[in-house]
Amino acid sequence: MPAGEASWLRAAMVEQILAVERVSPAVEAALRMVPRHEFLPGSSAEVAYEDSAVVTKRAFDGSAVRTALRPSVVAVMVEQLRVEPGHMILQVGADGYTAALLAELVGSAGSVVMIDRDQEAVHQARTCLNAAGYTDVAALVSNGHFGFPLRAPFDRILVAGPSRDIPPAWINQLVDGGGRIVLPLQIRGLSRSVGFARHGEILVSESLRPCDFPRMHGAGARQRATVILAAGVELEVSVAQDVNADTLREALLGPRHVLHTGVTLPPGGALLPSLDLWLATVRTHYGRLYAEQIADQRTPFAPPVPAGVSAVWSECTLAYLTYPVPDTATGADLDVSVIAWGPDRFRLGDLLAYDVQVWESQRRGGPDPTIRVYPSTIGWESLPPGRLIDTPSAQIMITWD
């Protein structure tokens, strides 16, 4: 493709990102400079400059193994990192495009080290970086959970892929008292890009952004379980939560309880991430319900919810949120309702509606919660109010201060 046409497509992509995301002049300049199509050799330039994730590697069964994140998601994460010229940066994950953006931001006085355990992915990223002129970026094969101690400490660490764990090496290899790490964190089925600052052995969140990360499958999804409830209907939960799939399937065959919460959200669903995270914090059993429309098959869910909605359950009852599909074009507010199925549907539905109303009265429009990451070895004398999430290497505490 002619260079002029690629530049035009890249400029159009940047304008699309800027229409919905606020970034600094330096990040905008990097987005306009780095040729994304050079890092997706298996895709056309038209595909490369769409604001969409691109599968870069598939398994034998056709499922996605590696995916390049959406450019708007990358822009958000890079903005959260707050990179300055001269910084030393570690990038965990072989994403050449992101590494090139970081190289633009640190300049000749800084350095970017990119690591990944996948030798093939590292080789391809290094080849693309060299072809695009970013020969100073170090692309190395290494287990990302161990970081890269030979170059530590780092001013910034960026994790270029969904994560449900925060290994100690990432914290220990950050500059204390000024180091920052940004990672796409999976919180009870919710995807958030979280920017943390290091304070001794603890990470404290500074920024929290909802981002559209691919749903994890295979080895990366071992902490999640998918429960099939009906044709095209899935409940995704953490493996630590008890779910009686048989009784929930039976519940969907009976009557339902529909309750209007009286809560409305602005067009486009901008406040939905805050509501979802609130429910994930206050509810003991919390998951995400996904429903696809399947032709010629009965499904109790309408409209379909392929993007997922907040869901809670008990032994034999399921309740979840429902609202129109967010559409900024119509300008219509979203009326939030609750649908519950099962013998305990009235009580559970009312409880979920109450939690939505508490968010409306106490949290709507307020600050995001604070997420703190503690070592897995910490001993708690008494837990602060909030939601504690255990991962293999850390304890994550979500509190609404």
Side-chain angles (χ1 to χ4, degrees):
M1 170 174 285
E5 188 171 352
S7 297
W8 181 87
L9 290 171
R10 182 162 65 255
M13 179 195 75
V14 174
E15 292 301 324
Q16 183 180 0
I17 293 173
L18 295 180
V20 294
E21 303 292 351
R22 297 179 61 183
V23 300
S24 67
V27 172
E28 178 184 345
L31 290 169
R32 295 189 184 281
M33 179 65 66
V34 177
R36 188 176 189 242
H37 69 281
E38 295 281 359
F39 299 94
L40 297 170
S43 302
S44 66
E46 289 81 1
V47 170
Y49 290 115
E50 293 177 353
D51 187 22
S52 59
V54 178
V55 177
T56 57
K57 184 177 181 180
R58 294 187 181 275
F60 290 113
D61 61 0
S63 61
V65 175
R66 299 187 72 93
T67 303
L69 297 175
R70 293 175 56 185
S72 58
V73 171
V74 175
V76 166
M77 296 177 66
V78 172
E79 178 70 19
Q80 287 178 291
L81 203 58
R82 295 165 59 182
V83 178
E84 297 177 7
H87 273 166
M88 293 183 60
I89 298 181
L90 173 66
Q91 177 179 309
V92 180
D95 186 315
Y97 174 66
T98 303
L101 292 172
L102 297 176
E104 289 285 344
L105 292 169
V106 300
S108 58
S111 65
V112 178
V113 178
M114 180 179 64
I115 62 173
D116 198 295
R117 70 175 68 189
D118 187 329
Q119 184 173 359
E120 179 183 355
V122 170
H123 174 74
Q124 178 173 319
R126 182 188 293 117
T127 299
C128 293
L129 284 163
N130 290 343
Y134 297 94
T135 56
D136 291 338
V137 175
L140 307 169
V141 178
S142 178
N143 188 325
H145 275 219
F146 300 141
F148 197 70
L150 293 179
R151 296 279 188 93
F154 295 95
D155 298 292
R156 302 288 188 266
I157 296 177
L158 187 144
V159 181
S163 175
R164 292 194 178 95
D165 193 17
I166 304 178
W170 295 354
I171 302 175
N172 297 334
Q173 292 173 28
L174 265 180
V175 171
D176 193 6
R180 292 185 177 86
I181 179 172
V182 172
L183 67 157
L185 194 61
Q186 299 285 324
I187 306 171
R188 307 195 85 187
L190 302 174
S191 295
R192 298 291 184 270
S193 178
V194 187
F196 291 100
R198 180 182 175 183
H199 297 271
E201 295 184 332
I202 299 173
L203 296 179
V204 181
S205 64
E206 293 186 326
S207 61
L208 186 65
R209 300 287 297 275
C211 283
D212 181 20
F213 301 116
R215 291 175 68 189
M216 298 177 72
H217 300 279
R222 288 174 182 167
Q223 290 179 291
R224 306 295 297 173
T226 299
V227 180
I228 306 299
L229 298 180
V233 181
E234 300 178 353
L235 178 64
E236 187 179 86
V237 304
S238 65
V239 295
Q241 299 185 84
D242 294 327
V243 179
N244 190 325
D246 291 334
T247 59
L248 293 187
R249 293 190 193 103
E250 184 177 349
L252 295 179
L253 299 177
R256 68 178 186 173
H257 171 50
V258 180
L259 179 64
H260 300 287
T261 66
V263 174
T264 60
L265 303 179
L271 290 178
L272 276 174
S274 173
L275 174 56
D276 286 336
L277 191 53
W278 167 253
L279 296 175
T281 305
V282 300
R283 299 302 302 177
T284 301
H285 294 108
Y286 177 87
R288 301 290 290 173
L289 188 75
Y290 297 87
E292 301 284 353
Q293 187 65 51
I294 298 181
D296 302 326
Q297 293 198 34
R298 175 187 178 275
T299 175
F301 301 90
V305 284
V309 292
S310 289
V312 300
W313 63 91
S314 62
E315 173 67 21
C316 54
T317 302
L318 174 72
Y320 57 92
L321 299 187
T322 182
Y323 36 77
V325 177
D327 184 359
T328 55
T330 64
D333 289 341
L334 307 183
D335 293 316
V336 181
S337 298
V338 171
I339 298 179
W341 305 76
D344 199 23
R345 61 189 178 277
F346 296 105
R347 186 190 67 87
L348 188 62
D350 290 349
L351 286 175
L352 181 55
Y354 173 77
D355 288 333
V356 173
Q357 291 160 352
V358 171
W359 171 85
E360 165 81 4
S361 63
Q362 300 182 12
R363 302 299 178 185
R364 178 175 180 143
D368 291 320
T370 299
I371 302 178
R372 295 178 175 86
V373 179
Y374 298 91
S376 60
T377 55
I378 188 172
W380 297 95
E381 292 185 2
S382 62
L383 287 175
R387 175 61 56 185
L388 183 64
I389 301 173
D390 288 315
T391 74
S393 305
Q395 296 185 62
I396 301 173
M397 175 63 75
I398 307 173
T399 57
W400 295 75
D401 297 327

